[in-house]
Amino acid sequence: MSMSTEQLAKLVKEATGHVFSTMLGTEITSGEAYLGGSDPGPSEGVVSLIGLAGAWIGTGSVFCSAEMACKIAAGFLMNDYPAVNSEVLDAVAEVTNMIIGNVKTSLEEQFGPMGLSIPTVIYGRNFITRTVGNSEWVGVPFFWNDERIEVQVCLAPNEDGKTAHSRFWMAGMRSV
Amino acid sequence: MALDILIVDDSAAIRKILQRVLVQADVPVGRVLEAGDGNEALDLLQKEKVQLILSDINMPNMDGLQFLGRVRANAAWKDVPVVMITTEGSQNKVMEAVQLGASGYVRKPFTADQIKEKLAGLI
């Protein structure tokens, strides 16, 4: 049993659109889905990661600029955020939790029960991201308020209980 | 009568949003107590009396389903309405929550109307 890039991208688009319309009261425009390799990922901004586990394993991520993260937090928490702080990171983490959580619920219909980790969010610059393993990321760009947000999901069969898919972060990380 | 409410979620953002949504949903909010996981929530319940609990499921240390089980097993808290508010949407989790005694189940993301509707028969 497997899932095509198009099917996964469709789930990501639906979940992201649902979260933005419900929690932020706004429509978000999606771009064309793409298939990415294990690296390079984003090198600066805010990245939020959440793990998926079960018969299939993987990672979901949301990446955006610091400015976009502040806009998301402002819409989410009804407050002004001129700079990234702990509330902004918390809001991005929760948006990630909702998006990937909704994708997970859809995936469970096909792949059976899956677990979701607690999100990790990183803010910084000059970092490198890499996925361990051979699996590729399905990414979808979204556009809102003249800013871009990327939602990516990496998913592979969990063979022999191996957990081969985790993301490593190197160099120059700074978290709030 | 204003209700004292316990909100259990590891996300401070969600705890803040829920407070706003409760007001939007015309819930008569008294004191709002906040906990970041089930353990913290149980500690609070030992000291404070509440009339409503809203709880996430996926949390560190003690998750929402374990917390719900502990609440229902305690004679002092077993009748307090507990509404699960979570990204977990699988039928298995919903059934587990219902079997443990959840009074309601709301999936994230949520609207004020959904919260209002879910709380209508409980408060």
Side-chain angles (χ1 to χ4, degrees), chain B residues 69-82:
Chain B
R70 296 283 291 272
V71 168
R72 289 294 176 250
N74 187 301
W77 312 324
K78 66 181 176 57
D79 295 324
V80 177
V82 181

Side-chain angles (χ1 to χ4, degrees), chain A residues 10-169:
Chain A
K10 182 170 179 280
L11 295 182
V12 168
K13 286 180 182 180
E14 287 172 353
T16 307
H18 182 45
V19 169
F20 271 73
S21 64
T22 306
M23 298 306 292
L24 297 158
T26 186
E27 299 304 315
I28 190 166
T29 309
S30 63
E32 194 166 337
Y34 58 87
L35 204 54
S38 59
D39 62 282
S43 61
E44 67 175 76
V46 176
V47 184
S48 182
L49 295 160
I50 194 161
L52 293 157
W56 283 60
I57 56 172
T59 307
S61 81
V62 170
F63 162 69
C64 64
S65 67
E67 292 76 18
M68 177 63 163
C70 291
K71 287 179 181 176
I72 289 172
F76 212 56
L77 300 170
M78 302 286 184
N79 208 346
D80 286 332
Y81 294 96
V84 173
N85 63 15
S86 59
E87 288 192 8
V88 172
L89 297 182
D90 204 33
V92 174
E94 191 52 42
V95 165
T96 308
N97 185 41
M98 288 184 190
I99 292 171
I100 303 302
N102 276 267
V103 170
K104 181 195 82 103
T105 298
S106 299
L107 289 173
E108 284 176 323
E109 292 172 12
Q110 190 166 340
F111 299 135
M114 300 177 85
L116 198 65
S117 76
I118 290 162
T120 295
V121 61
I122 296 164
Y123 166 50
R125 57 177 65 92
N126 300 325
F127 55 73
I128 298 169
T129 69
R130 176 168 170 75
T131 306
V132 177
N134 298 320
S135 172
E136 292 180 308
W137 290 77
V138 173
V140 182
F142 294 89
F143 305 94
W144 180 56
N145 275 356
D146 300 325
E147 293 280 353
R148 182 183 174 108
I149 180 169
E150 301 272 344
V151 181
Q152 299 177 322
V153 176
C154 162
L155 203 61
N158 184 7
E159 295 170 0
D160 302 321
K162 290 176 187 169
T163 52
H165 304 277
S166 57
R167 219 166 206 207
F168 284 83
W169 303 84

